[in-house]
Amino acid sequence: MKTRSLLIAMVIGAAVVFFAAGIYAATKVEDMVKIQDKGCEYTKGIVEFSHKKHSEDYAKKSPDLYKNKCGTCHHDDKGKPLVDIAAGQEVKRCIECHKKCGEPPKGKDAPKLSDKEKLEYVAQAFHVNCRDCHKAFNKANKTKAAPTTCTKCHPKTK
Ligand code: HEC
Ligand code: HEC
Ligand code: HEC
Ligand code: HEC
């Protein structure tokens, strides 16, 4: 009896993993991506990310910031850059590994988290990825073209 229910649990577990991968991984991407994950709640305006411009135009303009090509933003489960993503290869959404919704808890009662623990929050992973490059780009080009203020990425909702 025990082994049987264990077996059933394993089959269900495998099905869940398979199904989740089916939901989250895609081989294609829109030119403009709404960065929004099912099951998360949003307090800020939803970010619209120009994937095509970022992975083509900006990469051409700033090859030094894009040494890892697609892997500048996409990496594997060890954090190793996915430099060349083959046609048809599945790319996981960030939340598949940076699993917690939103930003790390803030305020005086919030637990002290290490950088690694903060990165479990998907908004932290996004903020670090977006901001580090934007800061570096603006500094190198003496510009403000790459946005670093909240409302430039999060449109005001009202
Ligand atoms: C500047 C950062 C950046 C670069 C460079 C980049 N991407 Fe992306 N990509 C993203 C972000 C952000 C998403 C949205 C992920 C999410 O919402 O979890 C995404 C999503 C995707 C998705 C869809 C994943 C899904 O399940 O919806 C695919 C496919 C993809 N990228 C392929 C590529 C390929 C191929 C390249 C190289 C030619 C590339 N990306 C370069 C940031 C980038
Ligand atoms: C397959 C799992 C996986 C996916 C998908 C994934 N990450 Fe990560 N990410 C990791 C791991 C593992 C690390 C390393 C964590 C560590 O060193 O503690 C990491 C580290 C990071 C870091 C820190 C890098 C640094 O230099 O410190 C950022 C920022 C980040 N990820 C952003 C993203 C973004 C944005 C996406 C989606 C475009 C994404 N990740 C998708 C697993 C993943
Ligand atoms: C590797 C570098 C890099 C990364 C990573 C990156 N950006 Fe950018 N982004 C740029 C550059 C360069 C520009 C400005 C280009 C110009 O106008 O000259 C820019 C401009 C923008 C703009 C204004 C113009 C437009 O295309 O809409 C927005 C909004 C933006 N980025 C959002 C994001 C978000 C959101 C993320 C994280 C998910 C992100 N970026 C990650 C390089 C990057
Ligand atoms: C370079 C673009 C960028 C900038 C600048 C930026 N964010 Fe974000 N932020 C994102 C992305 C991408 C996400 C993850 C997806 C989402 O929430 O739409 C995110 C997520 C969040 C979330 C969690 C989701 C939610 O709506 O509750 C909060 C809170 C947040 N950001 C607050 C801020 C604040 C406050 C600032 C200014 C100090 C800021 N962000 C600046 C890109 C940016």
Side-chain angles (χ1 to χ4, degrees):
M1 189 59 208
K2 259 204 181 134
T3 36
R4 201 167 151 211
S5 41
L6 186 67
L7 194 68
I8 292 171
M10 279 166 68
V11 170
I12 293 174
V16 167
V17 169
F18 185 73
F19 190 56
I23 291 174
Y24 285 124
T27 56
K28 288 213 182 82
V29 57
E30 304 283 325
D31 294 352
M32 288 295 294
V33 183
K34 276 199 173 150
I35 303 186
Q36 189 173 21
D37 290 296
K38 283 200 189 90
C40 294
E41 280 178 32
Y42 292 87
T43 55
K44 298 276 171 198
I46 299 302
V47 175
E48 299 218 25
F49 173 65
S50 56
H51 192 276
K52 192 174 160 92
K53 279 194 189 163
H54 271 84
S55 53
E56 294 176 12
D57 310 354
Y58 304 163
K60 273 193 211 114
K61 258 204 257 178
S62 309
D64 48 320
L65 293 174
Y66 281 90
K67 282 194 198 91
N68 288 321
K69 299 180 192 159
C70 308
T72 303
C73 305
H74 296 288
H75 42 250
D76 67 9
D77 59 359
K78 310 263 182 320
K80 191 171 156 276
L82 295 165
V83 177
D84 290 308
I85 298 176
Q89 185 181 335
E90 287 200 331
V91 176
K92 287 178 176 163
R93 307 268 300 269
C94 312
I95 196 147
E96 209 169 338
C97 302
H98 303 274
K99 287 195 164 110
K100 297 180 181 166
C101 291
E103 290 193 292
K106 284 181 185 159
K108 67 172 170 47
D109 296 329
K112 275 245 173 293
L113 299 179
S114 66
D115 287 349
K116 199 180 162 123
E117 287 166 327
K118 285 186 191 156
L119 271 179
E120 291 170 10
Y121 290 83
V122 76
Q124 176 80 3
F126 278 116
H127 282 155
V128 170
N129 171 264
C130 316
R131 277 192 197 143
D132 280 1
C133 182
H134 285 186
K135 276 191 189 155
F137 175 81
N138 289 345
K139 201 172 168 211
N141 297 282
K142 300 196 170 58
T143 173
K144 287 180 177 166
T148 51
T149 52
C150 315
T151 49
K152 288 265 166 62
C153 287
H154 297 279
K156 285 211 175 95
T157 40
K158 250 172 223 132

